[in-house]
Amino acid sequence: MPSLLQNNPVARILAWTFGIMGILGNLTILWHQHKCKLLKIRAHNSSNTHQQHATRKTSLVTRYLICNLAIADLLGSIYLIIIASADVYYGYHYPNVFRNPNRGNVTNPWLLSPFCHLSRFIFFLSSIMSIALTFVIAVDRFIAVIFPYSKFRFDLYRCRIITTACWFIVICYALIPTIRHLIYRITKGFDSNSNLCLYRDVVRKHTFNFIRSRQIIYFILTGAIIVLYNAIIIYVKLKSSNMRSQLNKVEKKIFLVMLFITISNIFTLLPTFLVMIFSNNREFNISIQSFQLMLPIFIFAIYFSAAINPIIYFVFTNSSKYKAILSSCFKTQKETTIPLNTHCSTLQKSNFVDS
């Protein structure tokens, strides 16, 4: 059946799967953050109060950053559900309109929908905000590990100011294509770029400059993130074993959570930018049909991180609980097997005496 995604089953599966998983997972994270702490801190002795205070401070900052990242991922998941739902709706109600996507003078009814404008805004907001928050997380980990007693270390107040500024800047950036579409009412076009509610401008130079600026933002932030985490890893390796042991379990666990979330965010954003670069380079000779087929798949693959980040978060933060459950199970098994063995030995002794 003709539709927005042009009968692309892989794109449909990715949109529904990542969208549903992302919404459920990130809503669970937001609910979980209001119910319990990121990492439970137990005071073992009174002489460790300074370290406990620093750990609580780190946990609060981490929880706040995780919540903001979950909101950005949640918006991306909503984008997927909107596109997937529009694919079903317009494919059912307007099959003849989408049957021939190469017509240039026919109005695309999907482009007139307010949900398309909302999707366009959400797409640019969530994708840029995700990498921006990942950079903020990397800076926080860099200061916390290498300069743990620095006065510039993030606290909750500074973190709120930084994230609020990031949200404001990225919202203004994401409004640019939305406002221009509303002003010029670009309603023609049935290609993947139009159906996915990406940026199309009446002036092609504006479209090129906006896409290029997004690529520059991505590569600058990604490069900075890689440098920061490499510096952290090198610093920890060069430390002596005594100094390395000063990093408590909470700090190590937070570092691992943030590292894996960062890796997922970077690698899911990378394919789309490579496709954009290759499509604009004539040396690769990518046909229009292949590009139209690949674009929805790679755009939806961006939000694989929105679906996998909640899993990473819960696996690492609840690993101690799982270990405790497993250890308790093994203990109960041992307690049940030991009495049986002793009971068998007593029976053997009694039989030996009777004989």
Side-chain angles (χ1 to χ4, degrees):
M1 182 176 64
S3 62
L4 265 68
L5 299 179
Q6 300 175 4
N7 297 324
N8 192 336
V10 177
R12 288 174 178 170
I13 293 172
L14 292 180
W16 284 110
T17 303
F18 294 161
I20 294 173
M21 288 179 61
I23 289 176
L24 294 178
N26 290 289
L27 284 177
T28 304
I29 284 182
L30 295 175
W31 174 81
H32 184 265
Q33 293 299 329
H34 287 284
K35 292 295 181 180
C36 60
K37 294 180 180 180
L38 174 66
L39 298 169
K40 292 183 179 179
I41 306 164
R42 296 180 179 178
H44 295 285
N45 50 40
S46 59
S47 62
N48 204 20
T49 55
H50 179 74
Q51 185 177 3
Q52 291 172 6
H53 176 72
T55 307
R56 290 190 183 95
K57 184 178 178 181
T58 301
S59 297
L60 287 174
V61 171
T62 305
R63 288 171 57 196
Y64 184 78
L65 292 175
I66 287 290
C67 284
N68 278 268
L69 186 59
I71 293 172
D73 289 340
L74 179 63
L75 292 174
S77 303
I78 293 173
Y79 166 79
L80 293 180
I81 295 299
I82 292 176
I83 297 296
S85 301
D87 174 65
V88 175
Y89 177 82
Y90 286 92
Y92 179 78
H93 290 280
Y94 301 92
N96 295 326
V97 175
F98 293 93
R99 194 177 302 277
N100 184 10
N102 296 321
R103 292 177 295 178
N105 296 324
V106 179
T107 299
N108 189 341
W110 166 234
L111 298 180
L112 296 173
S113 172
F115 287 102
C116 182
H117 299 299
L118 178 63
S119 299
R120 184 177 298 108
F121 172 72
I122 289 176
F123 171 76
F124 290 108
L125 174 63
S126 61
S127 59
I128 298 296
M129 197 63 200
S130 178
I131 194 68
L133 287 172
T134 306
F135 172 72
V136 174
I137 289 171
V139 173
D140 172 63
R141 291 296 86 211
F142 178 80
I143 298 175
V145 174
I146 298 182
F147 306 103
Y149 303 107
S150 173
K151 63 179 181 179
F152 297 106
R153 185 169 180 177
F154 286 4
D155 56 9
L156 195 57
Y157 176 73
R158 289 178 179 173
C159 203
R160 285 174 177 170
I161 293 176
I162 293 171
T163 53
T164 302
C166 289
W167 280 106
F168 177 77
I169 294 171
V170 177
I171 285 173
C172 294
Y173 181 82
L175 282 173
I176 294 174
T178 305
I179 293 174
R180 289 191 65 85
H181 269 262
L182 289 173
I183 292 174
Y184 294 102
R185 294 182 62 85
I186 303 172
T187 59
K188 304 295 190 298
F190 291 85
D191 57 329
S192 296
N193 193 33
S194 301
N195 292 335
L196 295 176
C197 297
L198 303 180
Y199 188 25
R200 289 180 69 249
D201 204 301
V202 291
V203 181
R204 293 181 61 88
K205 185 178 180 181
H206 293 341
T207 305
F208 176 80
N209 291 335
F210 187 84
I211 294 175
R212 183 56 57 89
S213 66
R214 186 168 172 265
Q215 293 174 351
I216 291 172
I217 292 171
Y218 169 77
F219 284 113
I220 289 177
L221 294 181
T222 302
I225 291 167
I226 293 173
V227 169
L228 290 173
Y229 275 105
N230 282 330
I232 294 172
I233 294 171
I234 293 172
Y235 176 78
V236 172
K237 285 185 176 180
L238 292 177
K239 290 174 67 176
S240 62
S241 59
N242 293 329
M243 294 179 66
R244 198 179 303 173
S245 62
Q246 293 177 1
L247 289 173
N248 54 33
K249 293 181 179 180
V250 175
E251 289 282 356
K252 291 178 182 178
K253 189 175 290 187
I254 290 174
F255 175 74
L256 287 176
V257 171
M258 297 308 188
L259 179 62
F260 279 96
I261 288 177
T262 301
I263 292 172
S264 68
N265 286 343
I266 290 176
F267 278 95
T268 52
L269 285 169
L270 182 61
T272 302
F273 288 98
L274 292 179
V275 169
M276 294 294 184
I277 293 173
F278 293 158
S279 63
N280 294 325
N281 195 334
R282 296 180 180 178
E283 295 179 358
F284 294 98
N285 294 323
I286 297 178
S287 64
I288 297 177
Q289 291 78 10
S290 299
F291 177 75
Q292 295 296 323
L293 183 66
M294 289 189 301
L295 184 61
I297 296 174
F298 284 107
I299 289 293
F300 296 160
I302 291 176
Y303 298 104
F304 173 73
S305 61
I308 200 68
N309 283 346
I311 299 175
I312 295 173
Y313 166 77
F314 282 111
V315 166
F316 277 93
T317 55
N318 295 318
S319 59
S320 58
K321 293 182 180 180
Y322 299 146
K323 290 180 181 178
I325 293 172
L326 290 174
S327 62
S328 63
C329 290
F330 283 120
K331 286 181 180 179
T332 54
Q333 287 180 358
K334 289 181 180 179
E335 289 175 357
T336 54
T337 54
I338 290 173
L340 288 174
N341 293 331
T342 54
H343 181 66
C344 292
S345 62
T346 53
L347 286 175
Q348 290 176 358
K349 288 181 180 179
S350 62
N351 292 331
F352 178 76
V353 172
D354 292 336
S355 62

